[in-house]
C-alpha cells in the first residue's frame, strides 16, 4: 500500500493510497481516530459506542521525510511508511508504543453481506430451553443485501509487553499475549472491543460485528467480520488509568450507582412469591445480617407469559404494599425482565401492533428507538410505578444456539453456531450491539421518569460504552467448581481493564449439580449445601465476592441464604457472616471510590499492572488484584478442607502463595505484620480469612457494624486506618445515596491526609452542599507502623477525635 498523496485538512490528515483512503483525526492530544476505506468517501454513520467528537481547537502537525510521513500531536507521533503504509506509534519523547508489521498492517477484504428474508414460507418454532423461552425460525430465504468489508488490523507487539481487555470470557485468560479470542455475545461471553497495553496505550475498535483477536501462530491482529470501513482509536497514557480515562472520554462517564448497590444483594433461582421475599428479608434482619437488596428472578409473571413485565397477582397480590414493606426494612428489590416475550402476553401484543419485534416475532427490536421507548413504558407501568428499585436485564445477547447436548462444541464451532443464529435476526454488522441499545432504553426511560432513583441494570452482556447507562455486567451462568472460580478472577480483571468498571458474578456458581446430558450444567456438588465441599467452595467464592464492585449471590440447584450454610458458632456460617460484615465496614472506602469512578474515570477492580506497571512480575498474575488503591486481594482458589461429597482433605496446607508487588511495603490486613514488596510469601489462609494486604501510605476509612447502607443508628463511628511508611491521602465522599443531584454538585468531600515526616494526620474541612445524616461524629484513627524485622503482629496506635466538619489534626 503506497502513499500516493496526502492533505492536511482542518479535521485531520487524509491519505490517498494505492489501496484506498485513510484518515487520522485527533480527538485529543492523546487519542487519534484512524479510518480506512476503499470507498470514495469515509462513512458518515453515527457511532453508538463513541459519544465524544474531536476537539475542534486541537492542532496537529504533518512533516514529510524521505521515507515517512510524520503526524504529531503534543503527546503522540505516528510515523507512516510511504512505501507500505505501515504505522508506528511513538510518545512525545520518541519512545515507541507499538508498530504495525513493516509490510503494512491494515487490510480490507470486500464481501457480500447476506441477510435473512422472512417471507410466508418461514416457520417459527417456540420452545423452552435451559436458558428460558426461545423462538427460532426455519425455512428462511437468504439474499445479498449490500457490499461491505472484513477488516484486519495487525501489530508487532513488543517482547515483554502484556495486553488485557476484550471483555469477560469464560476461559480465564489474563495476559492475552500468545492467546486468541472470539468476540461475540453469548451466555458467559460479554464483549468489549478494547485492548489496553502495559506499553501505555489502548486500542478501541468501533465495530459491532463478530470480531477475532489473535496473537498466535496465525498472526497478531484484530479482525472484524462485517464493516463499511476500518474504524479504530489509538489512546495513549502514562499509566493504564490514563488510558482508561481516554477510553471513557470517548465512550462516556460511568454514572454512580445508588449506595445500596454496593451493599449485599441476595438472589437465587428463585423466590416465588411476595411472602417468600418478605420472610427472607425478615430472617436477615432477625439474625442481624446486613442486606440491601433481594432479587426476584424469572417467572414473576402469570403462568407461561414469559417476558410479561407485570407480576402474577396470585403470588404477588399487592406489589405496592410489598415494596412498602421491603423499603420499611431498608431493602430494595431487583426484578428480572426479558427482551423475549410470549406471543400470548399483553406486552408482546402491544409491541407487535407497533412493529417493534425482530423477525422471530418474539424479541423486541432494541435497534428501534420507538421500540425501546415502548419497552420502557411497559416496565414502568407494570413494575416501576410500584416502587421497584432495579432491573435485571437477563438474556441480553439475545440469541443462542449451542446450549444443548452433552458435549460442549469446540470454540470455533461455538462461534459459528451462535453467530449464525444471531445473524438470522440482526444485521451481521450489528450482532454485538443489542445489549448496548437495550441498556440505553432502560437508562433513558428511567431518567425521563425520575431523577430521584439511580438506574441499576444488572445485565448479562456488555459492549463498549454500555457503562454510561448504569449497568453492571455479570459473567453468566457459570458452574460451581474450583476451576471456574479460578478462571473468573482474570475474566473480571480483563472486563474492568476495558474502561467498563462494574462487573460481578454468581457467588457459588449458577449450576451446582452435574447433568451429564447438558454440557453447561457442570457443577461438582449434586448434594448442594449438604455437601461440605460445596460449603467450602461457597465460602471462598463469597470471600472473593466481598471485593467485587457488586457483592451478589445467585444460582440454581440449592439455596443461597447465609443460614443455609450453618448456624452461628459454626465455621461456615461464621466465615460468611464475618465477610458480610467486612463488606459493610468498608463502605466508606468503596463508596468514595465509586465517586472517583464517575469523577476521575477510576477503575475499582484493578489488574496489578494498573498500579505496578514498573514491575513486570505482575503482568501474568491473574489471581491477585487491587481493590481500589489500598487493598491487595488474593482469593483462595483450591480446596483445603473438603472435596466433593464431603470427603475430608488431609495434609493440605492452609496457605496460598502471594506475590507482593515491588516498590511498596505491605501490611497484613488481619494482624498488621509488614512485608517488603518484590517477594513471594506463603500467606496464611484458614477458612475464616483470605490473604488481604494493604499498601503502605494507604488511608483506609471504615465504618462500624451496620445492617444496611442507610443505617446510621447502629454505629456511626468512622474508623480511619493509616498504614505508615510513606505519606498518603484519601478523599472521603458523601451524598444522598440515590438521586442524580451529585451531577449538579450536591455532595460533600473531606480530604484525609497522612504526613509521614511530621507524623500528622489531617482531617480537612468538610466541603460541599450535602449535609447528610451525620454532621457530628467520632473518628477513631488507627496508625499501623511497620515491624518488618520482627515479623510480629503490629498493634495500631489509636487516637479518637470529635469531628464536626471543621479541619482538625491528630499528631502521633
Amino acid at each position: 500500500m503506497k502513499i500516493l498523496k496526502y492533505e492536511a485538512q482542518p479535521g485531520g490528515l487524509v491519505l490517498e493510497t494505492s489501496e484506498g483512503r485513510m484518515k487520522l483525526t485527533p480527538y485529543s492530544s492523546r487519542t487519534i481516530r484512524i479510518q480506512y476505506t476503499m470507498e470514495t468517501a469515509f462513512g458518515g454513520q453515527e457511532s453508538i459506542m463513541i459519544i465524544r467528537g474531536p476537539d475542534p481547537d486541537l492542532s496537529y502537525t504533518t512533516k514529510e521525510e524521505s521515507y515517512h510521513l510524520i503526524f504529531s500531536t503534543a503527546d503522540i507521533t505516528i510515523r507512516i511508511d510511504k512505501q507500505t503504509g505501515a504505522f508506528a506509534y511513538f510518545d512525545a519523547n520518541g519512545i515507541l508504543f507499538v508498530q504495525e508489521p513493516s509490510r503494512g498492517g491494515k487490510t480490507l477484504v470486500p464481501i457480500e453481506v447476506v441477510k435473512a428474508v422472512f417471507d410466508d414460507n418461514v416457520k417459527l418454532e417456540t420452545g423452552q430451553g435451559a436458558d428460558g423461552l426461545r423462538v427460532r425460525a426455519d425455512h428462511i430465504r437468504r439474499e445479498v443485501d449490500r457490499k461491505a468489508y472484513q477488516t484486519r488490523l495487525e501489530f508487532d507487539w513488543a517482547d515483554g509487553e502484556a495486553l488485557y481487555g476484550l471483555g469477560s470470557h469464560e476461559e480465564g485468560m489474563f495476559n492475552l499475549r500468545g492467546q486468541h479470542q472470539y468476540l461475540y455475545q453469548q451466555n458467559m461471553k460479554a464483549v468489549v472491543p478494547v485492548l489496553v497495553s502495559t506499553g501505555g496505550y489502548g486500542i478501541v475498535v468501533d465495530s459491532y460485528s463478530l470480531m477475532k483477536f489473535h496473537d498466535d501462530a496465525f498472526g497478531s491482529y484484530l479482525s472484524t467480520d462485517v464493516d463499511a470501513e476500518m474504524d479504530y482509536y489509538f489512546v495513549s497514557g502514562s499509566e493504564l488509568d490514563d488510558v482508561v480515562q481516554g477510553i471513557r472520554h470517548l465512550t462516556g462517564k460511568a454514572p454512580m450507582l445508588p449506595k445500596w448497590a454496593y451493599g449485599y444483594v441476595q438472589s437465587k433461582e428463585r423466590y416465588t412469591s411476595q411472602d417468600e421475599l418478605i420472610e427472607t428479608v425478615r430472617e436477615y434482619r432477625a439474625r442481624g445480617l446486613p442486606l440491601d437488596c433481594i432479587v426476584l428472578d424469572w417467572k414473576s409473571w402469570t403462568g407461561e407469559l414469559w417476558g410479561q413485565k407485570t407480576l402474577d397477582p396470585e403470588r404477588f397480590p399487592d406489589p405496592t404494599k410489598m415494596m412498602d414493606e421491603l423499603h420499611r426494612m431498608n431493602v430494595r428489590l431487583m426484578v428480572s425482565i426479558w427482551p423475549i416475550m410470549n406471543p400470548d402476553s399483553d406486552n408482546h401484543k402491544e409491541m407487535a401492533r407497533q412493529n417493534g419485534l425482530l423477525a422471530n416475532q418474539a424479541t423486541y427490536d432494541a435497534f428501534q428507538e420507538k421500540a425501546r421507548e415502548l419497552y420502557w413504558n411497559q416496565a414502568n407501568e407494570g413494575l416501576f410505578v410500584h416502587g421497584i428499585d432495579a432491573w435485571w436485564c437477563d438474556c441480553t445477547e439475545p440469541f443462542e444456539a449451542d446450549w444443548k447436548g452433552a458435549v460442549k462444541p469446540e470454540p470455533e464451532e461455538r462461534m459459528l453456531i451462535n453467530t449464525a443464529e444471531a445473524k438470522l435476526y440482526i444485521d451481521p454488522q450489528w450482532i454485538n450491539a443489542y445489549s448496548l441499545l437495550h441498556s440505553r432504553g432502560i437508562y433513558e426511560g428511567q431518567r425521563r421518569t425520575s431523577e430521584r432513583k439511580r438506574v441499576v441494570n444488572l445485565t448479562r452482556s456488555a459492549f463498549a460504552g454500555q457503562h454510561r447507562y448504569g449497568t453492571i455486567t455479570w459473567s453468566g451462568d457459570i458452574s460451581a467448581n474450583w476451576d471456574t472460580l479460578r478462571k473468573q478472577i482474570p475474566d473480571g480483571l480483563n472486563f474492568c481493564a476495558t474502561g467498563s468498571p462494574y462487573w460481578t458474578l454468581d457467588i457459588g456458581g449458577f449450576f451446582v449439580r452435574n447433568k451429564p446430558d447438558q454440557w453447561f450444567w457442570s457443577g461438582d456438588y449434586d448434594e448442594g449445601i449438604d455437601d461440605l465441599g460445596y460449603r467450602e467452595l461457597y465460602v471462598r467464592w463469597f470471600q472473593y465476592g466481598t471485593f467485587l464492585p457488586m457483592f451478589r449471590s445467585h444460582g440454581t440447584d440449592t439455596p443461597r441464604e447465609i443460614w443455609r450454610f450453618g448456624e452461628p458458632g459454626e465455621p461456615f456460617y461464621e466465615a460468611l457472616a464475618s465477610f458480610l460484615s467486612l463488606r459493610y465496614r468498608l463502605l466508606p472506602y468503596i463508596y468514595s471510590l465509586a465517586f472517583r469512578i464517575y469523577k476521575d474515570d477510576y477503575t475499582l477492580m484493578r489488574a496489578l499492572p494498573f498500579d505496578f506497571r514498573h514491575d513486570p512480575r505482575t503482568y501474568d498474575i491473574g489471581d491477585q488484584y487491587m481493590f481500589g488503591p489500598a487493598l491487595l486481594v488474593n482469593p483462595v482458589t483450591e480446596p483445603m478442607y473438603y472435596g466433593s461429597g464431603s470427603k475430608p482433605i488431609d495434609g493440605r496446607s492452609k496457605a496460598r502463595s502471594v506475590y507482593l508487588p515491588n516498590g511498596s511495603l505491605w501490611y497484613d490486613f488481619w494482624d498488621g505484620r509488614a512485608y517488603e514488596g518484590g517477594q513471594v510469601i506463603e500467606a496464611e489462609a484458614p477458612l475464616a480469612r483470605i490473604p488481604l494486604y494493604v499498601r503502605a501510605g494507604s488511608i483506609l476509612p471504615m465504618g462500624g457494624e451496620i445492617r444496611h447502607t442507610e443505617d446510621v443508628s447502629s454505629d456511626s463511628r468512622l474508623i480511619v486506618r493509616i498504614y505508615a511508611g510513606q505519606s498518603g491521602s484519601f478523599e472521603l465522599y458523601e451524598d444522598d445515596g440515590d438521586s442524580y443531584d451529585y451531577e449538579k454538585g450536591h455532595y460533600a468531600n473531606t480530604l484525609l491526609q497522612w504526613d509521614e515526616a511530621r507524623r500528622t494526620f489531617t482531617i480537612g474541612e468538610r466541603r460541599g452542599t450535602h449535609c447528610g445524616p451525620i454532621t457530628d461524629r467520632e473518628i477513631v484513627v488507627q496508625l499501623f507502623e511497620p515491624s518488618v524485622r520482627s515479623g510480629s503482629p503490629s498493634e495500631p496506635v489509636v487516637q479518637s477525635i470529635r469531628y464536626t466538619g471543621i479541619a482538625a489534626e491528630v499528631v502521633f
Side-chain angles (χ1 to χ4, degrees):
M1 180 194 297
K2 290 187 177 181
I3 307 300
L4 304 178
K5 62 179 180 178
Y6 67 93
E7 181 180 358
Q9 300 177 353
L13 177 65
V14 176
L15 307 175
E16 299 286 348
T17 82
S18 57
E19 299 177 32
R21 309 173 79 223
M22 287 191 282
K23 186 175 183 180
L24 289 72
T25 306
Y27 271 53
S28 75
S29 64
R30 297 194 294 115
T31 300
I32 312 299
R33 179 187 186 185
I34 295 100
Q35 296 164 272
Y36 173 36
T37 182
M38 297 184 77
E39 304 297 320
T40 57
F42 296 101
Q45 183 169 287
E46 182 179 359
S47 173
I48 59 172
M49 175 199 306
I50 308 297
I51 63 170
R52 189 70 61 91
D55 182 349
D57 298 323
L58 190 68
S59 63
Y60 70 94
T61 61
T62 304
K63 181 173 64 172
E64 184 172 5
E65 297 179 344
S66 299
Y67 301 104
H68 300 97
L69 287 177
I70 309 297
F71 170 94
S72 297
T73 67
D75 293 298
I76 296 175
T77 291
I78 300 178
R79 189 185 68 194
I80 304 163
D81 189 310
K82 292 196 293 186
Q83 293 300 308
T84 66
F87 283 21
Y89 303 82
F90 298 85
D91 70 10
N93 298 313
I95 298 173
L96 180 68
F97 286 118
V98 69
Q99 61 187 354
E100 296 173 359
S102 59
R103 67 181 184 279
K106 301 179 187 68
T107 305
L108 298 179
V109 178
I111 59 169
E112 292 180 332
V113 181
V114 177
K115 292 181 68 175
V117 178
F118 289 77
D119 55 24
D120 294 339
N121 295 318
V122 169
K123 298 183 183 299
L124 297 177
E125 297 180 0
T126 301
Q128 182 81 27
D131 205 18
L133 178 69
R134 295 289 169 185
V135 179
R136 292 190 167 96
D138 201 0
H139 300 93
I140 301 168
R141 183 167 57 84
R142 294 167 175 82
E143 64 181 28
V144 175
D145 180 69
R146 65 189 185 276
K147 186 181 79 171
Y149 298 91
Q150 292 179 340
T151 81
R152 178 181 291 203
L153 177 62
E154 299 178 73
F155 291 100
D156 279 344
W157 286 302
D159 292 342
E161 177 182 6
L163 299 173
Y164 310 102
L166 301 183
S168 172
H169 304 267
E170 62 182 294
E171 294 85 9
M173 300 177 193
F174 182 52
N175 180 358
L176 298 172
R177 293 300 307 277
Q179 306 283 2
H180 75 267
Q181 185 59 269
Y182 301 115
L183 276 69
Y184 61 94
Q185 305 287 14
Q186 191 48 252
N187 195 331
M188 300 190 291
K189 289 180 77 68
V191 174
V192 188
V194 172
L195 281 175
V196 298
S197 167
T198 53
Y201 67 90
I203 303 292
V204 180
V205 182
D206 194 351
S207 172
Y208 312 88
S209 72
L210 164 67
M211 284 174 270
K212 300 174 186 176
F213 166 84
H214 277 271
D215 184 36
D216 54 19
F218 295 97
S220 299
Y221 61 88
L222 284 156
S223 67
T224 73
D225 188 42
V226 180
D227 274 304
E229 65 184 13
M230 180 182 288
D231 193 353
Y232 69 97
Y233 295 77
F234 183 88
V235 183
S236 71
S238 57
E239 296 293 347
L240 293 182
D241 278 320
D242 301 312
V243 176
V244 166
Q245 187 176 57
I247 293 166
R248 292 209 205 133
H249 179 80
L250 293 170
T251 58
K253 288 281 187 182
M256 290 194 70
L257 305 178
K259 191 173 184 179
W260 64 259
Y262 302 95
Y264 178 57
V265 179
Q266 176 63 63
S267 180
K268 71 172 184 179
E269 190 200 46
R270 59 190 171 87
Y271 298 107
T272 60
S273 69
Q274 179 171 330
D275 289 341
E276 187 181 9
L277 284 171
I278 290 172
E279 286 307 311
T280 302
V281 172
R282 284 176 178 163
E283 184 69 15
Y284 268 93
R285 291 290 178 251
R287 290 174 175 265
L289 295 168
L291 177 69
D292 263 274
C293 180
I294 193 164
V295 180
L296 182 55
D297 199 354
W298 60 3
K299 299 185 181 180
S300 59
W301 44 79
T302 300
E304 297 302 318
L305 298 182
W306 198 283
Q308 173 74 12
K309 294 177 283 298
T310 54
L311 302 180
D312 179 2
E314 291 188 9
R315 294 178 291 126
F316 305 93
D318 194 337
T320 300
K321 182 179 178 181
M322 175 181 72
M323 292 311 306
D324 288 344
E325 178 66 11
L326 290 174
H327 289 162
R328 187 187 64 78
M329 293 187 285
N330 292 288
V331 166
R332 272 70 174 187
L333 180 65
M334 174 184 287
V335 176
S336 169
I337 57 176
W338 292 66
I340 193 167
M341 292 170 275
N342 186 309
D344 293 328
S345 68
D346 292 340
N347 283 175
H348 180 279
K349 292 173 182 176
E350 184 181 25
M351 192 68 74
R353 284 195 300 269
Q354 296 197 21
N355 297 315
L357 296 169
L358 292 173
N360 69 342
Q361 296 302 305
T363 304
Y364 99 97
D365 186 356
F367 295 89
Q368 292 187 46
E369 183 177 1
K370 68 175 184 177
R372 295 196 300 269
E373 290 176 354
L374 176 57
Y375 189 90
W376 164 254
N377 289 338
Q378 292 173 345
N380 179 38
E381 293 166 6
L383 297 169
F384 193 64
V385 293
H386 296 295
I388 275 138
D389 303 285
W391 310 104
W392 182 0
C393 289
D394 207 341
C395 203
T396 49
E397 293 79 22
F399 299 105
E400 66 178 29
D402 70 336
W403 269 51
K404 57 188 177 182
V407 179
K408 184 177 182 178
E410 291 297 311
E412 187 164 356
E413 184 183 1
R414 291 193 69 198
M415 174 197 70
L416 295 172
I417 292 170
N418 288 304
T419 57
E421 182 74 12
K423 289 175 183 180
L424 291 177
Y425 313 107
I426 300 174
D427 187 303
Q429 190 171 331
W430 298 94
I431 62 170
N432 277 334
Y434 188 93
S435 181
L436 173 62
L437 290 168
H438 183 29
S439 301
R440 176 180 175 178
I442 296 295
Y443 180 81
E444 292 179 346
Q446 183 173 322
R447 290 213 62 172
R448 284 194 306 268
T449 305
S450 173
E451 288 284 296
R452 307 314 302 170
K453 186 177 285 190
R454 296 177 195 164
V455 178
V456 176
N457 177 359
L458 179 67
T459 183
R460 197 167 71 187
S461 299
F463 206 72
Q466 186 172 294
H467 60 266
R468 63 180 178 258
Y469 300 131
T471 58
I472 310 104
T473 297
W474 98 97
S475 60
D477 297 342
I478 54 179
S479 291
N481 52 64
W482 288 95
D483 183 57
T484 298
L485 172 56
R486 279 189 292 273
K487 290 176 177 177
Q488 288 290 285
I489 303 169
D491 286 345
L493 293 174
N494 269 317
F495 183 89
C496 293
T498 65
S500 301
Y502 290 114
W503 182 89
T504 189
L505 46 63
D506 293 348
I507 289 174
F510 182 77
F511 297 113
V512 176
R513 297 191 174 101
N514 186 278
K515 294 189 176 182
D517 60 333
Q518 294 178 300
W519 64 260
F520 47 85
W521 212 305
S522 57
D524 284 348
Y525 306 93
D526 288 340
E527 300 303 317
I529 56 171
D530 294 326
D531 189 327
L532 297 181
Y534 180 65
R535 293 192 180 196
E536 181 183 353
L537 173 67
Y538 188 88
V539 165
R540 294 308 197 186
W541 219 314
F542 196 88
Q543 291 169 336
Y544 165 49
T546 303
F547 303 97
L548 292 180
M550 174 174 270
F551 183 28
R552 166 187 166 273
S553 173
H554 181 65
T556 192
D557 293 333
T558 196
R560 305 296 169 114
E561 298 84 9
I562 303 295
W563 55 88
R564 308 292 187 178
F565 295 84
E567 289 294 336
E570 296 177 359
F572 296 112
Y573 183 100
E574 291 297 330
L576 294 171
S578 173
F579 274 81
L580 183 57
S581 172
L582 177 59
R583 173 69 174 209
Y584 278 79
R585 289 167 56 208
L586 286 170
L587 279 172
Y589 173 74
I590 295 170
Y591 196 58
S592 296
L593 295 176
F595 180 66
R596 282 195 63 190
I597 291 172
Y598 165 74
K599 176 175 172 286
D600 301 328
D601 302 310
Y602 188 68
T603 299
L604 175 59
M605 186 179 177
R606 306 168 64 78
L608 293 182
F610 269 76
D611 294 285
F612 306 102
R613 193 160 67 95
H614 63 275
D615 184 354
R617 292 182 70 179
T618 66
Y619 291 4
D620 294 303
I621 299 176
D623 64 347
Q624 302 176 219
Y625 63 96
M626 294 296 293
F627 190 62
L631 297 174
L632 176 64
V633 182
N634 311 276
V636 174
T637 59
E638 61 179 26
M640 297 177 177
Y641 297 87
Y642 297 98
S644 180
S646 302
K647 182 179 180 180
I649 297 174
D650 297 325
R652 182 71 58 84
S653 170
K654 308 301 187 291
R656 68 149 284 178
S657 295
V658 170
Y659 176 66
L660 300 174
N662 196 17
S664 182
L665 185 70
W666 295 92
Y667 291 82
D668 188 313
F669 176 85
W670 306 107
D671 64 19
R673 284 186 175 95
Y675 300 84
E676 295 287 354
Q679 63 171 323
V680 176
I681 64 171
E682 286 300 306
E684 296 179 6
L687 184 69
R689 74 192 220 190
I690 62 171
L692 185 63
Y693 294 87
V694 190
R695 182 163 43 172
S698 295
I699 296 175
L700 184 62
M702 300 176 66
E705 298 288 344
I706 58 174
R707 298 295 172 252
H708 53 83
T709 53
E710 294 182 350
D711 186 358
V712 296
S713 59
S714 298
D715 189 347
S716 63
R717 293 178 304 159
L718 183 69
I719 300 165
V720 179
R721 292 187 173 193
I722 302 168
Y723 291 87
Q726 64 184 67
S727 297
S729 65
F730 188 89
E731 194 165 65
L732 185 70
Y733 173 83
E734 298 168 287
D735 65 13
D736 66 24
D738 201 11
S739 80
Y740 286 98
D741 288 349
Y742 70 89
E743 294 179 344
K744 305 169 187 174
H746 298 313
Y747 55 82
N749 282 323
T750 304
L751 183 61
L752 310 178
Q753 293 180 291
W754 167 249
D755 188 318
E756 179 78 12
R758 296 175 57 232
R759 292 179 57 81
T760 300
F761 174 64
T762 303
I763 309 170
E765 180 182 353
R766 196 168 186 264
R767 297 184 179 277
T769 60
H770 174 71
C771 295
I774 303 173
T775 56
D776 184 343
R777 74 194 313 172
E778 180 187 8
I779 296 181
V780 179
V781 185
Q782 301 177 343
L783 176 65
F784 290 82
E785 297 189 90
S787 55
V788 176
R789 280 183 289 276
S790 67
S792 60
S794 174
E795 291 295 327
V797 179
V798 181
Q799 293 195 45
S800 294
I801 186 173
R802 203 78 203 172
Y803 180 69
T804 61
I806 301 171
E809 279 191 351
V810 180
V811 180
F812 287 88

